[in-house]
Amino acid sequence: EAQVTQNPRYLITVTGKKLTVTCSQNMNHEYMSWYRQDPGLGLRQIYYSMNVEVTDKGDVPEGYKVSRKEKRNFPLILESPSPNQTSLYFCASSLYLAGDSRQYFGPGTRLTVT
Amino acid sequence: QKEVEQNSGPLSVPEGAIASLNCTYSDRGSQSFFWYRQYSGKSPELIMFIYSNGDKEDGRFTAQLNKASQYVSLLIRDSQPSDSATYLCAVEGGQGFSFIFGKGTRLLVKP
């Protein structure tokens, strides 16, 4: 089954404790992206990747890191989480071929930072 | 600042009616436009995409794009209670793989 998976689905952590949210896709998509979704603010793009070792900032990259060492994986790293990073996070992937930029989303990771 | 604007709703329609959702965007360089449906607590699900001016139909859904007016809409015919969800309008920006999402319109379809 073609899908984007994220782990963990739920995470409660404390301020300053480094964490990684994993994202993996099995569709051989070139492009991957991370979003956060907050009430009243909608979905906002954090980082995206156009290929292995190629990443770029979205609208809200502060406090986040990403890496793309393999085509299928695109982990999101919070090196020193803060309470304002409490949010619902989505990973998405896209084939982005011949102008087709449809994105397919993972199930989401609900993060709480206390 | 590039923006995508949607009426937050809720938009309430009776079962069987046509639901009309609207979206405006600020970046004239935008090329691709998407509608996602999102149920509470779930991930966005792509339901329509449109690249050219005019209408695009897929089953009960029709997307309409007017680049001159910077306006994109979604029509849902024969609305069903299962269509009750938040509908997100998304616009691909002109640079890289950047996307701007509207805050969504909540649709309620009443039996």
Side-chain angles (χ1 to χ4, degrees), chain A residues 9-23:
Chain A
R9 295 289 312 281
Y10 302 89
L11 179 59
I12 301 174
T13 190
V14 296
T15 298
K17 186 176 181 181
K18 181 179 179 180
L19 66 92
T20 299
V21 183
T22 65
C23 173

Side-chain angles (χ1 to χ4, degrees), chain B residues 17-77:
Chain B
I18 296 174
S20 177
L21 297 94
N22 305 312
C23 170
T24 59
Y25 59 95
S26 63
D27 183 8
R28 285 199 169 272
S30 300
Q31 295 295 320
S32 305
F33 307 86
F34 307 86
W35 284 99
Y36 288 85
R37 177 175 63 197
Q38 187 177 28
Y39 295 110
S40 181
K42 302 297 185 182
S43 59
E45 174 192 9
L46 179 69
I47 55 172
M48 288 294 288
F49 62 98
I50 187 166
Y51 303 138
S52 304
N53 275 332
D55 295 0
K56 179 181 179 182
E57 185 175 320
D58 184 1
R60 295 187 297 114
F61 300 99
T62 299
Q64 300 174 316
L65 174 61
N66 183 327
K67 289 187 178 180
S69 300
Q70 296 175 243
Y71 176 91
V72 58
S73 64
L74 177 70
L75 300 177
I76 306 174
R77 289 180 298 281

Side-chain angles (χ1 to χ4, degrees), chain B residues 74-109:
Chain B
L74 177 70
L75 300 177
I76 306 174
R77 289 180 298 281
D78 189 23
S79 296
Q80 301 297 308
S82 58
D83 294 326
S84 297
T86 296
Y87 289 79
L88 307 177
C89 174
V91 175
E92 183 182 0
Q95 295 179 318
F97 189 60
S98 66
F99 292 84
I100 306 296
F101 280 75
K103 295 176 183 177
T105 296
R106 186 172 162 224
L107 173 66
L108 295 175
V109 181

